[in-house]
Amino acid sequence: MLGPDGGVLSVAEAGRTVGRVEWFAGTWGRPATSTCWSLAIGLFRAAQGRGIGTRAQRLLAEYLFDHTRAERLQAWTDHANLAEQRALEKAGFTREGVLRSAQWRGGQWHDQVIFSMLRAERPGREPRR
């Protein structure tokens, strides 16, 4: 489930699938020069709150920086999803701000909080000079 436009991987714990991570291309300008990867995660409720999502997102970020030309990775979550916001920060992402009324869900618009990680900021790596 890997392709040039993104992919999906299972998140496993002790040999059992407990969720998935995925990534897809997003742009902040012309696609040829401004493409980045947007990350998403979904975990079964029983797998939440134990650091599994943090580790999965960190590993996916490492994979994408190691195997693509990505300079920027980004993820967003509902403004009320404080657990995912903490998980993204623990995985090494930086909170950038709020996207107002960015997602239609459940019959209403929801604000989203956007996070990013730049290649030079990836955890465990020395920043470029």
Side-chain angles (χ1 to χ4, degrees):
M1 306 244 287
L2 307 175
D5 298 323
V8 179
L9 293 170
S10 291
V11 176
E13 178 188 42
R16 297 185 55 181
T17 298
V18 296
R20 54 105 183 105
V21 288
E22 61 184 282
W23 64 100
F24 50 92
T27 64
W28 293 99
R30 296 185 183 275
T33 58
S34 301
T35 298
C36 64
W37 292 115
S38 295
L39 283 60
I41 188 169
L43 295 177
F44 299 147
R45 188 164 307 281
Q48 296 175 2
R50 300 191 335 234
I52 296 169
T54 297
R55 185 165 190 266
Q57 291 173 115
R58 184 182 307 119
L59 289 171
L60 179 56
E62 289 175 13
Y63 173 83
L64 292 171
F65 283 134
D66 286 346
H67 297 283
T68 74
R69 295 181 60 224
E71 172 63 20
R72 172 189 171 87
L73 306 177
Q74 62 187 20
W76 56 86
T77 189
D78 192 273
H79 75 284
N81 190 344
L82 300 179
E84 175 58 4
Q85 291 177 45
R86 283 190 302 272
L88 285 165
E89 289 173 341
K90 287 179 182 178
F93 285 78
T94 299
R95 180 185 171 121
E96 292 186 332
V98 176
L99 303 169
R100 299 179 306 145
S101 294
Q103 185 182 72
W104 178 261
R105 188 179 72 255
Q108 62 185 3
W109 289 101
H110 293 261
D111 291 352
Q112 301 293 299
V113 181
I114 190 165
F115 293 80
S116 69
M117 182 188 299
L118 304 181
R119 182 175 288 275
E121 299 169 344
R122 65 192 280 195
R125 301 288 194 253
E126 287 295 317
R128 288 186 291 190
R129 298 195 194 285

